[in-house]
Amino acid sequence: MQPNPTFLNLPEEKKRRIEGAAADEFSDNGYRSASINAIVSKVGIAKGSIFQYFGDKKGLFLFIFGQSVEKVKAYLKEVRDATADAPLSIRLEETLKAGVDFTRKHPVIYRLYVRTLAEKEIPFRSEILTSIRRYSLEYLGSLLETARDKGELRDGVNLEAACFIIDASMDRFLQALTLPHMDGGLGIHNADEDELNRRIKALCNSLLSGVTP
Amino acid sequence: MQPNPTFLNLPEEKKRRIEGAAADEFSDNGYRSASINAIVSKVGIAKGSIFQYFGDKKGLFLFIFGQSVEKVKAYLKEVRDATADAPLSIRLEETLKAGVDFTRKHPVIYRLYVRTLAEKEIPFRSEILTSIRRYSLEYLGSLLETARDKGELRDGVNLEAACFIIDASMDRFLQALTLPHMDGGLGIHNADEDELNRRIKALCNSLLSGVTP
Amino acid sequence: MQPNPTFLNLPEEKKRRIEGAAADEFSDNGYRSASINAIVSKVGIAKGSIFQYFGDKKGLFLFIFGQSVEKVKAYLKEVRDATADAPLSIRLEETLKAGVDFTRKHPVIYRLYVRTLAEKEIPFRSEILTSIRRYSLEYLGSLLETARDKGELRDGVNLEAACFIIDASMDRFLQALTLPHMDGGLGIHNADEDELNRRIKALCNSLLSGVTP
Amino acid sequence: MQPNPTFLNLPEEKKRRIEGAAADEFSDNGYRSASINAIVSKVGIAKGSIFQYFGDKKGLFLFIFGQSVEKVKAYLKEVRDATADAPLSIRLEETLKAGVDFTRKHPVIYRLYVRTLAEKEIPFRSEILTSIRRYSLEYLGSLLETARDKGELRDGVNLEAACFIIDASMDRFLQALTLPHMDGGLGIHNADEDELNRRIKALCNSLLSGVTP
DNA sequence: CATGAATGAGAGTTCATTCAT
DNA sequence: GATGAATGAACTCTCATTCAT
């Protein structure tokens, strides 16, 4: 999980170039098909250096992935704290907005996550995914519980199912943002800022209100 | 997309063995990492034959994937027709049940779809995914429109958003079935039949009713 | 141990070129340092072909080594049968002469054996060496037992120790032939035919008679 | 052959750690497969230091090997002097015992010698081996000459051949001690102290007396 | 003087694809 | 039409050596 100190002592800019190229490569090609050749020739360093920094391909992947997860967590924590007193609808909106924002700033991170989802032989895949899902559900769970305690929810609401639906919908929303092909009916992919915000509001509204009378 | 006539004239049983092995290999390893070596040695035919039948790896993949999509469509069409007169809640339940059923009978097909979602260099990936999503939304859209016309929906419901949420939630439900790690809060993965049906009902209820008073 | 049939069906001449190059490479460099690159570029075939024929480096080595052992055994069996009725001194001389003859015809085989002796990580090294030593001792043992039964040996001779000494001395004699550096006092390495036969006779005499009165 | 003065001025303890690690590595892996990486990481010094001290891999090997040879010579000289007045049979026994003793105390040195025997590309291999053999034969030669002068030998004994046989047999005896696989008929490898001494006596007896009446 | 980061050649191995049989 | 031998590029990983600090 931890790269060699050598790597950590590298000039900030070089580090970022390596991380960037590796994240790109993994998110474009998944773990197994990602090529260390491609990474080093993009960055312009010797092949051996990568192995000096990270030991092996697995070590590189674990580091890049771990970094990404940390970034996402930090981002979400910020949103949670910043909206602590807002009503649920606003908190969901802000969460999704933050997700959109983050996905745009770090598109590779989201793709990296999707790739990890799909690939079987990724090192520690099971642990990685389980921990991500758990974190995500805890986050949404705490939002919903707070809302329930404040009386914002209907009686008898199934919190688990609600979490599941919200999680899945937001996840898909972000997928649609990253992958044009998943942008089924919502026209998210090429939307401008205003349009996107309307979409977010609409989705969150629908998530909260359901469709039946 | 179309294999060489030579392939089509093969004995039914041999064709099925080839298709099965190829589907397994692609769904286990994705497109790029799938090995034609592995496929032919599993089936017990000559490597050259695959290239005779399908031209190249790309052709093989396209054929296998296309076949899978046809199977899914046929399955869904059946459900739609069979439940034409039922209320929306039942139709959703039956759809999800059918999805579960199908995923269990043809686990490789679902995995194949997830892999395709994740991999960038898959031939015609964009077209493939777009068409799948469109089909899925059309299907759900027609269910919801029928329901609206029958007065089952609340006024002012945002059909697009509803479709999106239902699609995403069902998709995730099936993912949780296939991938233990996605089974966040719902405990789907190891559920017995009864438990699973309760989960399906709960999810569909929540999808229809929302959480707010 | 068995190469792919593909290899066995190769034209005799090509097979021999491959076997020769591989035996050379292994006997020059040992197992680990032997380079498949070097072998294929010497033979002029593609790198992949070696792996098609033998699976991996280990398979190649095992095949080459096994072949060599078979050749040696066949050679020794011939000598044993041809000298069945001769006195021990002649049989030893003929054995050593045969060894010299063989070592000259197939110098790589002897070097291969020495290399295997020295290297730790050779596949099945332990089994290989044990079986070679056992075979060698059985061979000499049967010679000595026959001699004893014919009354050619002094009473109370320690057969085990005698075997050991003869085995070691002959082994070293052949080493001296192959490796100029081991040619300590005997001047074997550059000896002409007559000289060599004298050396053989002298060694066998000394082996039989010892040094004490 | 001589390391940089920098090395010689190192604290005794550090020098010994470096020598030990290098001897281990070379004797375990041979020259070419020995890894300087492994050596430095075992000792805990910088990789560059090795090159500073010894120039290159070759220099390091030559130094380590030379050192080992010196140790052996010193050991043998001691035995020779200590047994100057004993009869030949005792001197041989003591020599072999000393060899056993030394091999046990410094197993890497013996392995190092065997490895050098086997590997072709070792620097100055030819010179190294020639000098070792010559020394060994000189040593045994002086033992035998002394014995002849004292009338311990039969008339007409071939001293050269006797030397050769004794050298080869003792060498093999030590090999059997180090490599279980060479322990052909004698059961040396797992022998306890008493048993081993009996084996040594038996071998030396047989060496001196031969097998014929 | 010691350090260890950087290098790039070379290792074994796998693979899609071609084509003579 | 079916076969599978041959190919060579690409893969991950190791290593001795150099040299700026």
Side-chain angles (χ1 to χ4, degrees), chain C residues 116-123 125, chain D residues 27-29 111 115:
Chain C
T116 306
L117 249 173
E119 207 163 336
K120 244 182 166 173
E121 297 183 16
I122 287 185
R125 175 184 181 246
Chain D
S27 75
D28 282 354
N29 302 100
R111 284 210 304 272
R115 303 284 329 204

Side-chain angles (χ1 to χ4, degrees), chain B:
Chain B
M1 216 89 148
Q2 278 310 323
N4 186 302
T6 312
F7 175 76
L8 299 173
N9 292 331
L10 249 36
E12 210 53 45
E13 187 268 345
K14 191 172 182 182
K15 267 195 286 186
R16 241 175 297 127
R17 264 175 37 237
I18 296 174
E19 292 162 4
D24 278 347
E25 181 70 12
F26 280 125
S27 75
D28 282 354
N29 303 99
Y31 175 71
R32 194 159 133 189
S33 294
S35 158
I36 290 193
N37 275 1
I39 295 172
V40 296
S41 81
K42 193 184 212 173
V43 181
I45 59 171
K47 212 193 297 194
S49 298
I50 287 290
F51 290 87
Q52 187 127 56
Y53 302 152
F54 304 100
D56 56 10
K57 195 183 187 181
K58 183 174 138 185
L60 173 60
F61 176 81
L62 253 24
F63 173 68
I64 296 294
F65 198 95
Q67 262 204 339
S68 303
V69 170
E70 290 314 312
K71 278 188 195 148
V72 176
K73 285 188 178 172
Y75 212 80
L76 280 182
K77 177 172 283 176
E78 211 177 297
V79 175
R80 170 152 60 179
D81 296 347
T83 64
D85 300 325
L88 179 58
S89 64
I90 300 297
R91 297 190 87 181
L92 285 186
E93 269 181 55
E94 291 306 314
T95 299
L96 188 46
K97 276 182 192 164
V100 167
D101 192 39
F102 187 85
T103 303
R104 282 182 166 162
K105 273 198 204 125
H106 308 280
V108 292
I109 294 186
Y110 194 77
R111 283 211 304 273
L112 190 55
Y113 156 69
V114 174
R115 303 284 329 205
T116 306
L117 214 75
E119 208 163 335
K120 223 183 175 180
E121 295 185 15
I122 287 186
F124 297 112
R125 175 182 181 247
S126 161
E127 293 79 350
I128 286 175
L129 291 181
T130 307
S131 92
I132 289 183
R133 280 298 113 216
R134 183 177 313 127
Y135 181 81
S136 170
L137 289 173
E138 274 170 22
Y139 174 87
L140 290 176
S142 84
L143 254 56
L144 286 178
E145 276 167 24
T146 305
R148 187 190 52 196
D149 295 348
K150 292 204 280 182
E152 295 187 61
L153 302 191
R154 205 178 52 221
D155 279 353
V157 149
N158 181 336
L159 278 197
E160 269 181 355
C163 266
F164 184 90
I165 292 169
I166 296 172
D167 188 29
S169 299
M170 289 190 167
D171 206 4
R172 169 69 69 83
F173 195 91
L174 298 183
Q175 275 189 43
L177 214 62
T178 318
L179 308 175
H181 331 95
M182 300 306 288
D183 176 9
L186 282 198
I188 294 168
H189 189 63
N190 289 318
D192 63 22
E193 214 54 23
D194 282 357
E195 177 63 14
L196 196 69
N197 279 331
R198 264 195 300 280
R199 296 293 181 189
I200 290 175
K201 235 185 243 300
L203 176 60
C204 292
N205 270 340
S206 295
L207 279 170
L208 294 180
S209 61
V211 297
T212 45

Side-chain angles (χ1 to χ4, degrees), chain A residues 176-190:
Chain A
L177 212 63
T178 318
L179 308 175
H181 334 95
M182 300 305 289
D183 176 9
L186 282 198
I188 295 167
H189 190 65
N190 290 317

Side-chain angles (χ1 to χ4, degrees), chain C residues 185-205:
Chain C
L186 284 197
I188 295 167
H189 189 65
N190 290 318
D192 62 22
E193 214 54 21
D194 283 356
E195 177 63 14
L196 197 67
N197 279 332
R198 264 195 301 279
R199 296 292 182 189
I200 290 174
K201 236 185 244 299
L203 177 59
C204 292
N205 271 339

